[in-house]
Amino acid sequence: MFLLFLLFRFLPAIGAFFLSLTDYRISGKWDFIALDNYTRLLSDNVFHEALVVTITYTVIFVPLTVLLSLGTAVLLHQVVWRRGFFRGVFFLPYVTSIVLAAVIWKWIYDAQDGLLNSILGLVSIGPIDFLSQAGTVLPSIAVTSAWKGFGYSMLILLAGLQAVPRSYLEAAMIDGASTWQRFRYVTLPQLRPVLFFVLVIETIGAFQVFDAMYVMTGGGPVRSSYSLVYFLYDSGFKYFDFGYASAIGLVLFLIVLIVSLVQRRLVGRDD
């Protein structure tokens, strides 16, 4: 197991770090340039724009997905009739291809023939071109990604809810606690390790967003949906600047690591 970890995790990471210290290009020629790629990154306006887009998207996507997952898990925890069927229905989008989900939601958001604008038209609103306006494009993509991925977190939270000792809830009920008070003071504290895990995996997923943006907007309008991974993809596979792309990947890793440590400090400090 350690050998597999070494081969498929540790060595590629070391290789990526070394590559980020070179100007390696598709021709195979390279020179050692030390930290030049990182210095270039700090002064690159495209990197700054992509970082802002990624953070903004994360701030929208993570709370939306966690709340949607938690709300659905709480509802399903109460269901006793056809429980397995309803769990399957809510989990179904997770096994759907993100490309297919992006194509479907691109049609839903369409300004001319989209389902959402047809509904808004019934109350004399719109049409709104959700994917072509800077103010609506990131929330629209976040909703698509949340719809696609919330089923996985929902199942984890559902398992956490089922592990909450029933005796705690019954004791709170005897003490006269309302439904909200039992959830706030008994269920949520018991769920904290699970919530921390969900928060971390959804944050990592948000910082890695690429495919939905690629399919739905191509990074537009005017880089309003151009994420860090999109920037990494273009640097590596469009401009074949592999050393620079590796530096972007390493910086992205450091950002995710710092954010995860902060989340552990705030949410999972006792776990």
Side-chain angles (χ1 to χ4, degrees):
M1 183 61 75
F2 176 74
L3 185 61
L4 290 176
F5 178 81
L6 190 69
L7 284 175
F8 294 104
R9 289 289 186 182
F10 191 68
L11 289 182
I14 295 295
F17 176 68
F18 178 75
L19 207 59
S20 73
L21 304 177
T22 71
D23 62 349
Y24 189 92
R25 292 184 177 267
I26 195 170
S27 62
K29 296 179 179 178
W30 61 274
D31 291 307
F32 185 77
I33 57 174
L35 298 178
D36 284 5
N37 281 325
Y38 294 95
T39 307
R40 175 184 163 195
L41 204 56
L42 291 176
S43 59
D44 192 335
N45 289 331
V46 179
F47 169 71
H48 298 157
E49 292 173 5
L51 181 59
V52 171
V53 166
T54 304
I55 291 174
T56 306
Y57 172 83
T58 302
V59 169
I60 300 170
F61 171 79
V62 174
L64 177 65
T65 304
V66 172
L67 288 175
L68 185 61
S69 305
L70 182 60
T72 312
V74 170
L75 285 176
L76 288 180
H77 187 55
Q78 309 299 324
V79 172
V80 293
W81 181 74
R82 305 292 295 271
R83 178 178 292 177
F85 169 76
F86 288 112
R87 288 178 184 177
V89 167
F90 285 109
F91 188 72
L92 192 59
Y94 182 73
V95 297
T96 306
S97 160
I98 182 61
V99 174
L100 178 60
V103 170
I104 292 171
W105 278 87
K106 191 175 178 182
W107 167 71
I108 291 174
Y109 289 133
D110 189 89
Q112 301 302 321
D113 305 315
L115 176 64
L116 186 54
N117 273 304
S118 298
I119 295 172
L120 292 175
L122 297 176
V123 289
S124 303
I125 297 177
I128 302 172
D129 200 347
F130 291 95
L131 299 178
S132 298
Q133 298 179 19
T136 56
V137 64
L138 286 181
S140 301
I141 295 174
V143 168
T144 302
S145 300
W147 175 86
K148 161 71 177 67
F150 84 95
Y152 180 70
S153 295
M154 177 200 73
L155 283 186
I156 295 173
L157 289 167
L158 191 56
L161 285 170
Q162 291 172 342
V164 174
R166 189 166 181 78
S167 58
Y168 291 8
L169 296 169
E170 290 173 347
M173 196 179 300
I174 292 171
D175 288 341
S178 63
T179 303
W180 166 248
Q181 287 172 327
R182 292 198 299 276
F183 179 75
R184 169 69 180 83
Y185 296 107
V186 178
T187 304
L188 270 184
Q190 293 292 317
L191 270 183
R192 196 168 66 180
V194 183
L195 273 174
F196 171 65
F197 176 74
V198 167
L199 201 58
V200 170
I201 61 170
E202 295 297 351
T203 302
I204 293 173
F207 271 96
Q208 293 176 336
V209 62
F210 165 69
D211 29 25
M213 292 179 174
Y214 185 83
V215 174
M216 296 179 76
T217 64
V222 200
R223 292 203 186 105
S224 296
S225 57
Y226 192 72
S227 67
L228 277 177
V229 175
Y230 208 138
F231 183 38
L232 186 156
Y233 170 82
D234 276 353
S235 298
F237 299 103
K238 186 174 180 181
Y239 304 115
F240 303 112
D241 194 350
F242 297 115
Y244 195 48
S246 298
I248 298 168
L250 263 295
V251 170
L252 179 61
F253 166 75
L254 289 175
I255 293 172
V256 172
L257 179 64
I258 292 169
V259 171
S260 299
L261 291 175
V262 171
Q263 287 176 333
R264 178 173 175 74
R265 178 79 176 174
L266 296 176
V267 181
R269 54 186 179 275
D270 295 332
D271 307 308

